[in-house]
Amino acid sequence: MSARDLCGCLERLSVMTSSTEREDWRKVLLQADVTLQKVIRNLEESGLQIALVVTPDCRLLGTISDGDIRRGLLRGLDPDSPVDTIVHRDPLVVPLGLKVDAALQLMQANKIRQLPIVDEDGLVVGLHTWDELVIP
């Protein structure tokens, strides 16, 4: 997916989500063909501790966390390696409209701090973070 494709994805998301929601989660959307170095840079810049790997139409392919990168490096990946081997392809997600209490319970039960929000078509429309839900 090119930068232009990702821009189209972001434009669709701005129509789909409320302007009152935090919008900084969008900066963690990455195309599937990025390198490990790009993901590391994205994680550092976003501060959200997760990258969401998406298709050109914003369907969630998977997630990448600091731990995924660490395990990849231990397996011998280098900064120029493609990220497709470390993407967590079956992440826990929640539907749009799920109550905050339910999201927090899922996060606590699964010991995660980020939870992608998808619509009925599997398009990424948001991201719950533990800090945002606990400390609004």
Side-chain angles (χ1 to χ4, degrees):
M1 174 171 46
S2 69
R4 182 177 177 182
D5 293 334
L6 190 56
C7 182
C9 175
L10 292 174
E11 287 173 10
R12 282 190 291 281
L13 285 174
S14 64
V15 171
M16 296 167 55
T17 57
S18 164
S19 61
T20 60
E21 296 174 1
R22 273 186 60 194
E23 296 184 10
D24 61 346
W25 67 270
R26 290 186 176 115
K27 61 187 167 189
V28 302
L29 297 174
L30 292 175
Q31 54 196 356
D33 61 352
V34 298
T35 64
L36 197 58
Q37 182 174 8
K38 171 76 174 170
V39 176
I40 292 169
R41 186 174 294 121
N42 181 276
L43 290 171
E44 178 66 25
E45 290 171 1
S46 76
L48 294 177
Q49 302 171 331
I50 193 169
L52 304 179
V53 182
V54 297
T55 64
D57 65 349
C58 287
R59 288 187 197 289
L60 183 64
L61 293 173
T63 61
I64 301 174
S65 68
D66 289 336
D68 297 321
I69 291 171
R70 213 172 22 257
R71 286 182 288 277
L73 291 171
L74 289 171
R75 286 194 332 252
L77 295 180
D78 64 58
D80 294 322
S81 297
V83 296
D84 61 341
T85 60
I86 64 166
V87 174
H88 178 72
R89 296 195 183 274
D90 191 25
L92 181 62
V93 299
V94 294
L96 185 60
L98 184 74
K99 295 193 183 291
V100 169
D101 290 344
L104 280 169
Q105 288 175 359
L106 279 170
M107 294 169 87
Q108 190 170 26
N110 290 280
K111 296 179 173 58
I112 58 175
R113 297 186 58 83
Q114 305 86 11
L115 189 55
I117 306 166
V118 297
D119 68 9
E120 62 276 356
D121 296 320
L123 301 177
V124 180
V125 295
L127 178 69
H128 287 306
T129 65
W130 181 263
D131 292 342
E132 180 181 339
L133 295 179
V134 173
I135 310 165

